[in-house]
Amino acid sequence: MKIYKLIILTILAVLPTLCFGQDTPTNDEQKFLQEVNKVRQSYGLHPFELSVDLLKKTRQHCGWMARNRSMTHSSYPHAENIAMGQRDIAAVLRSWLNSPGHRANLLGGYKYFAMSLERTTGGTPYWCQIFSDGQSNSSYSPNYHRERRR
């Protein structure tokens, strides 16, 4: 019986990617980008451009955090904001804007941006944003999380 639950949970974890495709932002991801760019515009800053490469990375990392119930930064050589528990986009943006480091990322001179939200099976939200100036093409290291815990 446990193996069936594991199979079902695995299918549910990858279903959004299969349904939406890796290159297409979900409605929530689009709304997230719009809200972040509204904040940037209010400060006279250029809007971020959505990066498909970064979108894949945020989804992958958010999925990892939600599955492992671990709010841990990724190994990507990009600026990154992560959060856990905020129920909606407005709440997570408020949290980040009230934190000097996260605020610096949101209002930084980056060109590219992506963001994702994943929930645990119990509904706890995990958030991830990655920012880039376009100079780095890194790859995800799934072993990073295990290595970091040692």
Side-chain angles (χ1 to χ4, degrees):
M1 190 63 161
K2 287 182 182 180
I3 190 73
Y4 293 114
K5 287 181 182 178
L6 182 61
I7 291 170
I8 290 170
L9 289 175
T10 302
I11 290 170
L12 290 174
V14 299
L15 192 57
T17 300
L18 295 174
C19 291
F20 295 110
Q22 286 280 19
D23 298 345
T24 307
T26 65
N27 288 338
D28 283 340
E29 290 164 343
Q30 284 284 14
K31 184 177 179 187
F32 205 169
L33 177 64
Q34 291 168 356
E35 294 302 314
V36 166
N37 280 335
K38 281 182 192 177
V39 169
R40 289 179 60 79
Q41 183 180 17
S42 73
Y43 285 89
L45 301 169
H46 69 273
F48 286 131
E49 293 179 31
L50 180 66
S51 163
V52 172
D53 180 51
L54 296 181
L55 184 59
K56 291 175 186 178
K57 291 175 183 180
T58 60
R59 286 176 177 170
Q60 194 171 29
H61 187 61
C62 249
W64 183 92
M65 290 192 302
R67 281 188 308 279
N68 291 282
R69 291 176 167 77
S70 175
M71 195 172 78
T72 305
H73 283 280
S74 72
S75 61
Y76 304 128
H78 301 295
E80 177 185 73
N81 288 346
I82 59 173
M84 176 193 80
Q86 293 85 349
R87 293 292 165 196
D88 57 35
I89 293 168
V92 75
L93 279 176
R94 255 190 323 275
S95 293
W96 283 331
L97 287 168
N98 287 323
S99 162
H102 296 104
R103 180 185 183 92
N105 285 340
L106 281 164
L107 303 179
Y110 304 104
K111 181 176 181 179
Y112 300 104
F113 170 81
M115 62 284 121
S116 294
L117 161 66
E118 292 288 339
R119 295 182 186 278
T120 65
T121 54
T124 302
Y126 283 80
W127 304 85
C128 182
Q129 296 179 315
I130 298 179
F131 309 83
S132 175
D133 59 9
Q135 298 301 314
S136 177
N137 261 337
S138 65
S139 60
Y140 182 71
S141 171
N143 294 325
Y144 173 76
H145 302 289
R146 278 187 295 248
E147 294 163 4
R148 188 169 177 159
R149 288 187 182 157
R150 291 184 187 157

